[in-house]
Amino acid sequence: MAKGPEKNTKNKALHTKLLNRKNTKLQEAKKEKALRLKALVAKMNQQKNNDQPIEP
């Protein structure tokens, strides 16, 4: 028996492409959020260190 053509290869390829795009977008958003938080923590730590009086 001869096999017919593969089914849904076009749809599967498009679906995979869209999922990869979505996952990449989510990863970028996660990295940006982490960088913002890191900058904010550094800023708050610096402000905290500047507010403390220097004891002789």
Side-chain angles (χ1 to χ4, degrees):
M1 292 180 74
K3 286 190 171 183
E6 293 184 20
K7 297 180 182 178
N8 279 338
T9 54
K10 187 174 181 181
N11 286 339
K12 286 181 182 180
L14 287 175
H15 186 67
T16 302
K17 182 179 177 183
L18 291 174
L19 283 180
N20 288 341
R21 192 182 298 172
K22 178 184 173 185
N23 289 337
T24 303
K25 186 176 179 181
L26 290 175
Q27 285 178 352
E28 290 296 324
K30 195 173 183 179
K31 286 179 185 179
E32 288 176 10
K33 184 177 179 182
L35 287 174
R36 281 198 311 271
L37 286 174
K38 192 173 183 180
L40 182 63
V41 168
K43 181 179 176 184
M44 294 306 289
N45 285 338
Q46 185 180 15
Q47 187 178 16
K48 181 178 160 185
N49 289 338
N50 288 341
D51 288 344
Q52 292 178 348
I54 302 172
E55 297 180 15

